[in-house]
Amino acid sequence: MSASGGTKAIIAALTANLAIAVSKFVAAFFTGSSSMLAEGIHSVADSGNQVLLLIGGKRAARASTKEHPFGYGRERYFYAFVVAVVLFTIGAAFSIYEGVHKLSDPHAKVESPIWAFAVLIFAIIAEAFSFRTAIKESNAVRGKQSWVAFVRRSKSPELPVILLEDLGALLGLIFALFGVTMAVVTGDPVWDAVGTLMIGVLLGVIAVVLAMETKSLLVGEGATPEMEAQIRTALESSPEVARVIHMRTLHLGPEELLVAAKIGVAHDGTAAEVAHGIDEAERRVREAVPIARVIYLEPDLDRLRTTASGSPSEAASG
């Protein structure tokens, strides 16, 4: 996994979540709080998700084979999608179930609340550190995009996943703190169940957003409009290329782009000149967009036809 894959952010999140999970389960045991139990399960799910992201990055780095000639770059998308499924089934579903169960059958008031408050404060500090690392790593590749645009348009799935996970964890801790505090202040355990339900709904929303974004990457996304413009400019700046007739791009992985284009060449060009022109065009594309690693260019005569109105238009070349 490259630096842009956010390995540092994943390790920071994994370390924080493992420590937080243990502390939450200890607090849940001493307090009997369903919010703390839900948060403990949430942290376990997050820890498993970070392991899945690391596995995905490792498997995606394998060399191409005859069966997979374009490599395994999309494995990172697959494992990110699995993360969304795990977050929904284990995190959201369990929290909602636990919250509904406690609402229908409230247990005694929260015991030893000092444990819950101490753990929640520790967890908020640890999650804030993890979230800060994810923000710092993301800012290095985000550019001028808004955070919403970064999550939606990023071709590297790890950083958006970690960002949303950490954001969800911080909000979940606030919900747990709210539920426990209200249960202690009012003496009514229903508030603890309400906090648990809030955590479950939050995780469900995050899981759905992640699933939608990673599904789009799995199906196959092209280059951004800005990157396509750079590729087109690079192609048409080659002396032997008159124009780009049409072009298609596809991400084979976060840092590997396939470019296929039909290019118009001069009518009187020799085979050697056309071949040289294609080589030069490929060089210019790779120079402008380094992740364009697989390039297929189909030369065609640059023909224009005249419409009935007399204005020129592109011929449909075979």
Side-chain angles (χ1 to χ4, degrees):
M1 189 186 305
S2 68
S4 63
T7 305
K8 185 177 179 180
I10 297 174
I11 296 297
L14 176 60
T15 303
N17 279 315
L18 287 174
I20 291 170
V22 173
S23 64
K24 286 175 180 176
F25 282 127
V26 171
F29 175 78
F30 282 105
T31 64
S33 168
S34 62
S35 292
M36 294 305 303
L37 180 60
E39 273 296 299
I41 297 297
H42 177 190
S43 293
V44 170
D46 281 354
S47 299
N49 290 340
Q50 276 107 49
V51 172
L52 286 172
L53 291 176
L54 290 172
I55 292 173
K58 182 73 173 178
R59 292 182 62 83
R62 290 178 294 168
S64 59
T65 63
K66 186 175 181 179
E67 186 177 9
H68 297 278
F70 291 113
Y72 294 85
R74 286 196 181 183
E75 288 232 26
R76 286 167 66 178
Y77 300 151
F78 169 74
Y79 279 92
F81 185 79
V82 173
V83 163
V85 174
V86 170
L87 191 63
F88 184 82
T89 55
I90 295 181
F94 176 83
S95 297
I96 291 174
Y97 167 80
E98 185 68 14
V100 171
H101 174 69
K102 294 301 181 183
L103 278 177
S104 60
D105 183 25
H107 56 65
K109 66 179 183 178
V110 175
E111 301 173 0
S112 305
I114 190 65
W115 277 96
F117 292 131
V119 167
L120 287 171
I121 292 172
F122 164 74
I124 288 173
I125 294 173
E127 285 291 359
F129 169 77
S130 175
F131 193 36
R132 177 179 177 274
T133 302
I135 290 175
K136 185 177 179 181
E137 291 282 294
S138 299
N139 279 333
V141 296
R142 182 170 64 96
K144 296 182 179 180
Q145 298 180 87
S146 67
W147 285 107
V148 173
F150 174 68
V151 170
R152 295 196 61 184
R153 299 178 63 183
S154 176
K155 307 304 180 184
S156 179
E158 291 83 6
L159 283 174
V161 168
I162 295 299
L163 277 170
L164 288 177
E165 273 193 354
D166 285 350
L167 176 62
L170 280 172
L171 292 176
L173 289 167
I174 293 173
F175 294 162
L177 184 60
F178 167 78
V180 172
T181 301
M182 292 300 294
V184 171
V185 171
T186 65
D188 187 352
V190 168
W191 284 106
D192 189 32
V194 170
T196 307
L197 283 173
M198 293 170 67
I199 293 169
V201 172
L202 170 70
L203 294 180
V205 171
I206 291 176
V208 169
V209 171
L210 285 178
M212 290 175 62
E213 294 305 319
T214 52
K215 169 183 171 291
S216 179
L217 291 169
L218 272 174
V219 171
E221 288 188 0
T224 62
E226 295 83 4
M227 196 173 290
E228 285 198 352
Q230 289 179 303
I231 294 171
R232 186 177 293 272
T233 300
L235 287 172
E236 294 182 341
S237 67
S238 300
E240 293 83 356
V241 178
R243 64 193 176 99
V244 175
I245 298 173
H246 60 73
M247 180 175 66
R248 299 288 185 273
T249 61
L250 179 68
H251 269 274
L252 302 175
E255 288 94 30
E256 188 170 14
L257 186 68
L258 181 149
V259 178
K262 178 173 284 192
I263 55 175
V265 298
H267 288 225
D268 55 353
T270 65
E273 289 172 339
V274 171
H276 173 74
I278 289 176
D279 291 341
E280 175 63 16
E282 289 182 358
R283 184 190 68 77
R284 288 173 183 258
V285 169
R286 290 193 173 95
E287 188 177 80
V289 182
I291 69 170
R293 299 179 185 175
V294 182
I295 303 175
Y296 296 111
L297 300 180
E298 179 185 353
D300 197 3
L301 295 179
D302 183 22
R303 296 189 292 266
L304 293 176
R305 69 182 181 184
T306 303
T307 63
S309 62
S311 60
S313 62
E314 293 182 8
S317 302

